[in-house]
Amino acid sequence: MTGQEDTAASADSAASGDGAPVHDLAELLKQLGPQVLGILVRRGADFAAAEDAVQEALVEAFRRWPNDQPDEPKAWLVTVASRKYVDAVRSEVARRRREERFHEEPDQGATEQADDTLLLLFLSCHPALPPASAVALTLRAVGGLTTRQIAQAYLVPEATMAQRISRAKRTISGERLTQPGDLGVVLRVLYLVFNEGYTGEVDLAAEAIRLTRQLARTSDEPEVAGLLALMLLHHARRASRRNPDGQLVTLADQDRSLWDTATIADGVRILQTALAKDRLGEFQVQAAIAALHADARSTAETDWTQVLEWYDELARLTDSPVVALNRVVALGEVDGPLAGLKALASVDPGVPRHAAVAAYLHEKAGDLAQARDLYAVAARAATSTAERDHLTRQAARLHTDGT
Amino acid sequence: MAKYLLLKHYRGGPERSPQGCIPMDQWTPQEISDHIGFMHHVADTLRERGEFVEGEGLSPDGAFVRYDGEGKPPVTDGPFAETKDLIAGWMVIDVDSVDRAHEAAAFLSSAPGPGGVPLNEWIEVRAFMAEPPVITE
């Protein structure tokens, strides 16, 4: 146990980035909920039942604390949640007419917040869960978000999200995690949360960074640091990704003065520490590429040779066609658009953004008519309205230029 | 985690099964109840799985409407009883993969028709536009 200030600081948000005192009750409960759940689970409670118990304790706290806040909020929650847990398990046992009493009343052991985070992440990102369920459970059990907030973030009804979470808990009910969970699955789930972007009132990217930072405190696996660095380096560019009208701005056209240099420095520092461990993985490589972009004052000044080398490395680590496509873009910058187009011929044409890359390379090569047609094809294949509109404007631009 | 629209058509789409060609007002009342009951069952199942977003039926009657200039009332046209396509209703689901969306659509399509035989109606599946991912390069 590292003390109350420390645990509060450890749950800081990536956006605020410091351990400022928590005034808001909802925010306090958001921070404490996962900590209390971690304590119960570490003491041997069943994850699914403990999650229910903690939710009930939080509801009670929300009702009672405005008039009567305990001196030790976390201890209060642990006590109340433990009682509710034991009651629930006992009534369940009674319901099943079992005679034995629940034997695992949580004992009072030393707490280690960091290990609890890892434990909860392993359970919430259990390999038996489909991605959407693991995401939802992670945001609630580890992130401390309410079901309503998660539902809003993913634009589904609250009842649907509640079902998704309770179904996920049923799936992993009884799992005691006798061996370490699958860190790879955890990282993919956190990546998914981050990459969803920001649609609702909850800042999913900031949540993903906060959770990955918490994980990085407990794990010296360089891929964890690699993922954190990757998130930070992309998050730093957030203000420049859309123009004031909400239109998508590509990397080449982003106003780099809007980039958050402190976050970039943070990401680069974390990445360097990870790379020094000499156990390379996909996220570290992706972060290295993002760092090279973050380091350049313009696309013209970008060290594309190094970017390409990292893509070669990434292609060795994964056979993803998306990587092959992105490598083509870098190759086009290093060896010219014709070399890029030649390499593009061996990339699966079904990969998203294939036509967009082809259009870009044709434009660079001076074949504007072909580029215009391909931008139109790419617009039809786009999976978001922002990309579709951007690509349509690209086609229109070449059309208007009189080609 | 992607949203899909499952569209149920009165008309249009690929050729229908023989049962699908029999108008609903020529079914028995029980067959109609069973069909509608199955639709509720599909929605409930999707709800229970945490995949249901919304679902609505549409009146077959409608009109085409357009702007006709400043200060003028909107122009309406129709109804067009003989238009090629007519949408009966929709369901929106939020699922892990396109395969799962197709599975859900096939489930919807298995709704019973005359004689309790699955209608094998064609369900149109359309992906919602998503948010652009943060990490692209």
Side-chain angles (χ1 to χ4, degrees):
Chain A
M1 185 67 205
T2 46
Q4 195 66 38
E5 297 87 1
D6 208 295
T7 47
S10 75
D12 65 5
S13 87
S16 71
D18 62 335
V22 180
H23 297 296
D24 181 49
L25 178 57
E27 185 58 29
L28 175 66
L29 294 177
K30 179 190 170 194
Q31 291 186 5
L32 291 180
Q35 295 178 25
V36 172
L37 176 59
I39 289 169
L40 261 65
V41 171
R42 181 163 38 77
R43 291 174 182 177
D46 173 69
F47 175 69
E51 220 273 336
D52 289 338
V54 171
Q55 290 301 321
E56 285 176 39
L58 291 174
V59 168
E60 198 166 318
F62 209 83
R63 191 163 49 79
R64 289 173 55 168
W65 288 10
N67 301 316
D68 182 21
Q69 178 153 345
D71 296 333
E72 303 254 8
K74 187 153 107 182
W76 187 97
L77 282 172
V78 170
T79 304
V80 173
S82 300
R83 197 188 309 132
K84 288 185 184 296
Y85 174 76
V86 170
D87 287 350
V89 172
R90 278 185 184 147
S91 71
E92 172 74 0
V93 168
R95 192 181 65 76
R96 290 180 191 165
R97 296 186 182 156
R98 283 192 192 152
E99 293 196 1
E100 82 259 38
R101 285 165 65 94
F102 180 64
H103 58 279
E104 286 181 284
E105 179 158 0
D107 58 20
Q108 303 292 316
T111 58
E112 197 56 73
Q113 166 69 18
D115 291 347
D116 291 350
T117 298
L118 191 60
L119 183 61
L120 293 184
L121 276 172
F122 280 149
L123 284 162
S124 301
C125 304
H126 195 280
L129 294 173
S133 304
V135 161
L137 196 52
T138 298
L139 287 172
R140 190 159 109 170
V142 198
L145 299 189
T146 63
T147 303
R148 188 184 63 83
Q149 288 174 316
I150 303 167
Q152 240 165 27
Y154 289 96
L155 306 172
V156 301
E158 187 174 344
T160 294
M161 193 50 82
Q163 270 305 118
R164 194 178 291 178
I165 290 170
S166 73
R167 193 179 162 89
K169 288 200 295 186
R170 275 204 303 282
T171 303
I172 59 161
S173 174
E175 294 280 344
R176 283 300 163 96
L177 216 67
T178 49
Q179 57 199 15
D182 191 332
L183 192 60
V185 176
V186 173
L187 295 182
R188 278 197 295 282
V189 167
L190 294 173
Y191 179 92
L192 274 181
V193 174
F194 179 79
N195 220 16
E196 183 74 17
Y198 17 91
T199 48
E201 137 191 331
V202 173
D203 187 339
L204 288 174
E207 277 302 317
I209 289 172
R210 187 173 68 91
L211 294 175
T212 310
R213 214 190 265 285
Q214 258 176 267
L215 176 61
R217 289 202 184 92
T218 78
S219 166
D220 61 355
E221 163 57 45
E223 275 294 85
V224 175
L227 178 60
L228 178 58
L230 175 66
M231 289 176 176
L232 290 170
L233 289 164
H234 279 275
H235 201 61
R237 295 192 220 146
R238 173 186 197 144
S240 66
R241 290 187 68 230
R242 304 260 189 164
N243 71 11
D245 295 334
Q247 296 172 5
L248 207 58
V249 183
T250 57
L251 179 59
D253 294 326
Q254 286 175 9
D255 176 355
R256 295 181 184 217
S257 71
L258 295 175
W259 290 2
D260 176 353
T261 48
T263 302
I264 289 172
D266 197 18
V268 168
R269 183 185 52 77
I270 291 165
L271 174 64
Q272 281 168 342
T273 311
L275 290 174
K277 291 181 180 160
D278 207 19
R279 299 205 309 274
L280 206 55
E282 276 182 58
F283 291 126
Q284 292 169 77
V285 177
Q286 285 192 60
I289 292 165
L292 285 167
H293 287 305
D295 194 39
R297 275 182 296 178
S298 66
T299 37
E301 285 182 39
T302 304
D303 188 345
W304 286 105
T305 305
Q306 267 211 70
V307 171
L308 182 58
E309 282 168 12
W310 280 116
Y311 272 121
D312 288 338
E313 193 68 60
L314 196 50
R316 276 191 284 276
L317 290 167
T318 167
D319 56 2
S320 152
V322 174
V323 169
L325 184 69
N326 285 336
R327 187 187 161 278
V328 163
V329 176
L331 183 74
E333 297 293 339
V334 176
D335 292 341
L338 293 177
L341 283 168
K342 193 163 170 235
L344 185 63
S346 54
V347 175
D348 176 4
V351 62
R353 300 191 181 79
H354 187 282
V357 170
Y360 175 75
L361 291 171
H362 276 289
E363 184 179 359
K364 295 276 272 188
D367 186 352
L368 303 188
Q370 177 81 328
R372 185 193 60 206
D373 292 349
L374 282 165
Y375 276 128
V377 170
R380 280 196 294 278
T383 56
S384 73
T385 48
E387 286 170 285
R388 182 197 61 199
D389 296 348
H390 170 75
L391 291 163
T392 306
R393 272 192 291 271
Q394 295 293 91
R397 174 177 54 81
L398 294 182
H399 194 78
T400 318
D401 284 354
T403 52
Chain B
M1 282 164 290
K3 288 192 182 62
Y4 292 88
L5 176 67
L6 310 185
L7 274 179
K8 202 167 142 60
H9 295 252
Y10 285 120
R11 286 197 293 274
E15 199 181 332
R16 292 174 167 256
S17 67
Q19 300 100 304
C21 297
I22 306 170
M24 213 163 172
D25 54 20
Q26 292 170 29
W27 299 7
T28 69
Q30 188 58 47
E31 285 165 351
I32 294 171
S33 298
D34 289 348
H35 180 83
I36 292 166
F38 186 88
M39 290 296 153
H40 290 308
H41 170 61
V42 171
D44 287 344
T45 304
L46 291 168
R47 252 184 220 108
E48 197 278 325
R49 291 177 59 105
E51 297 176 330
F52 183 83
V53 179
E54 61 173 359
E56 296 290 345
L58 289 175
S59 157
D61 297 326
F64 283 79
V65 179
R66 70 165 171 80
Y67 179 63
D68 197 40
E70 194 62 45
K72 291 185 177 172
V75 174
T76 61
D77 206 347
F80 297 96
E82 297 308 316
T83 41
K84 206 165 132 267
D85 192 10
L86 200 57
I87 293 162
W90 76 78
M91 213 176 259
V92 176
I93 56 174
D94 186 50
V95 291
D96 268 304
S97 66
V98 67
D99 288 343
R100 173 60 202 137
H102 287 181
E103 191 179 89
F107 183 36
L108 194 61
S109 159
S110 72
V117 179
L119 266 183
N120 296 347
E121 253 181 326
W122 290 100
I123 304 292
E124 187 180 359
V125 180
R126 301 275 298 270
F128 272 50
M129 284 294 197
E131 276 294 296
V134 178
I135 301 170
T136 50
E137 76 267 3

